[in-house]
Amino acid sequence: MTITITAFERSPDGGQGLARDTRVRWALEEAGLPYEVRLVSFQAMKEAAHLALHPFGQIPTYEEGDLVLFETGAIVLHIAEHHPSLLPADANARARAVTWMFAALNTVEPPILELVTARLFEGDRPWTAERLPLVADRLRARLNQLAVRLGDGDWLDGGFSAGDLLMVSVLLRLRPSGLLNEFPGLAAYVARGEARPAYQRAFAAQLAINTAP
Amino acid sequence: MTITITAFERSPDGGQGLARDTRVRWALEEAGLPYEVRLVSFQAMKEAAHLALHPFGQIPTYEEGDLVLFETGAIVLHIAEHHPSLLPADANARARAVTWMFAALNTVEPPILELVTARLFEGDRPWTAERLPLVADRLRARLNQLAVRLGDGDWLDGGFSAGDLLMVSVLLRLRPSGLLNEFPGLAAYVARGEARPAYQRAFAAQLAINTAP
């Protein structure tokens, strides 16, 4: 069955790979699955046809026959459950890898989003200069815990998994802020993720769209 | 195998059921699984023994034989995968229910957390009075999308699932703010969740701990 995902017609990041379709592309590349991409404009994302696929009017969505999914974590998990390259075979190791997927999205990404939101939506507000250091410090506390757990391991729990795929993707959102470089262990972890051929292919595919004339 | 979870020795909410152990208790009650609870103090949560179970120093954790899990979404999914009361049998319906689990935690909870954080950690800051309406409006936009999708359905996608369990749990965090009542459809949805006998048992269990002399 053909897999079709949606992506921004023009990503707000201009092709830095931070839009969430990159996470799904990466998972599909790790799994060796071909896929098609339907590009949507900001206007089309808020219209009924797209909202029927994605109630929150975002990208990516995932279509495979009758199945429609719309949440990046769920899409990556769906792909991972059907392809051994993204989740270990052992049941306990698999549950732990899924734990890292949720940790990436529900524990590490929210304070990163808070920083992104403060800059993007409140950048011109009078309080932002004084408030940003508070937001950054809350985030540093979380990143420090993650760095301690990672230690000198290559990946979060044994071999590379969908948990690492999402954690690396989430941490990449920090790069524009410079904060990632305060944690050399995490920066090296992200670099290991980026060096994977599957990530390289995913990144190149979204860049091609965002730099097309 | 005995299931053991951790919970606050004294929850910051004094027993309103908003601590995350309630989500896991609810899932265990829906599945009809007995469990034990180990209470941890705020100090113990930051010590090595607990950090070995939970790298971010939070509750709940989940222990079952050799398996240790620490992220609420992953724990609920682990329980749901082994008990038909929380996920539909049909593969596509199951993937959609998992989508709602991720949507609850990664799309709906972050703007709720932002509101909670603004009140809890920045309540005494000079900008908070002016900033709170912006935060609330971002949240309202998200809640409106959720209310539209729910429509007049009882649950998000067919019968009650782990997706509803997490979505109701996330929305419950809004109750102290009064914001939930601006969306009568969502308020009724949350009330349906709370009315489930399994939720009632979970709530009562955490309340008993938090009101013990």
Side-chain angles (χ1 to χ4, degrees), chain A residues 32-117:
Chain A
L33 290 171
Y35 62 99
E36 296 185 356
V37 182
R38 190 169 64 248
L39 302 180
V40 290
S41 66
F42 289 112
Q43 191 186 320
M45 286 169 63
K46 308 304 174 193
E47 290 172 357
H50 189 73
L51 287 170
L53 303 179
H54 196 315
F56 301 105
Q58 300 177 335
I59 59 93
T61 56
Y62 177 97
E63 292 161 83
E64 183 188 0
D66 289 340
L67 178 64
V68 179
L69 300 177
F70 65 85
E71 187 79 24
T72 309
I75 297 169
V76 171
L77 181 59
H78 173 76
I79 297 164
E81 281 178 331
H82 297 88
H83 294 86
S85 54
L86 284 165
L87 283 177
D90 173 74
N92 282 3
R94 182 182 173 288
R96 288 197 304 271
V98 171
T99 291
W100 282 112
M101 295 180 65
F102 279 100
L105 298 174
N106 194 226
T107 295
V108 177
E109 189 161 38
I112 293 175
L113 271 176
E114 224 201 340
L115 189 69
V116 171
T117 299

Side-chain angles (χ1 to χ4, degrees), chain A residues 18-35:
Chain A
L18 304 180
R20 284 174 174 164
D21 61 290
T22 305
R23 303 176 186 188
V24 172
R25 291 173 187 273
W26 186 5
L28 289 164
E29 292 287 353
E30 293 280 357
L33 290 171
Y35 62 99

Side-chain angles (χ1 to χ4, degrees), chain B residues 67-205:
Chain B
L67 178 64
V68 179
L69 300 177
F70 66 86
E71 188 78 25
T72 309
I75 296 169
V76 171
L77 181 60
H78 173 75
I79 296 164
E81 281 178 333
H82 295 89
H83 294 86
S85 54
L86 285 165
L87 282 178
D90 173 73
N92 281 5
R94 181 182 173 288
R96 290 197 303 271
V98 171
T99 291
W100 283 112
M101 295 181 67
F102 279 100
L105 298 174
N106 195 226
T107 296
V108 177
E109 190 161 38
I112 294 176
L113 271 177
E114 222 199 344
L115 189 69
V116 171
T117 299
R119 290 206 160 105
L120 201 63
F121 297 116
E122 299 180 19
D124 58 348
R125 299 289 175 163
W127 57 75
T128 296
E130 197 180 340
R131 184 174 172 267
L132 269 176
L134 298 186
V135 176
D137 279 348
R138 287 199 292 263
L139 175 52
R140 281 186 185 98
R142 187 62 47 90
L143 294 173
N144 189 55
Q145 293 168 317
L146 181 64
V148 167
R149 171 54 72 105
L150 178 64
D152 55 9
D154 276 356
W155 307 111
L156 287 165
D157 191 339
F160 176 83
S161 78
D164 295 297
L165 186 153
L166 287 179
M167 192 65 83
V168 167
S169 298
V170 159
L171 293 174
L172 273 168
R173 298 187 71 161
L174 279 178
R175 180 166 289 157
S177 74
L179 253 169
L180 187 58
N181 293 329
E182 297 180 21
F183 299 87
L186 294 182
Y189 169 68
V190 168
R192 275 192 292 281
E194 290 181 293
R196 293 178 71 84
Y199 178 83
Q200 295 286 324
R201 290 194 293 274
F203 183 87

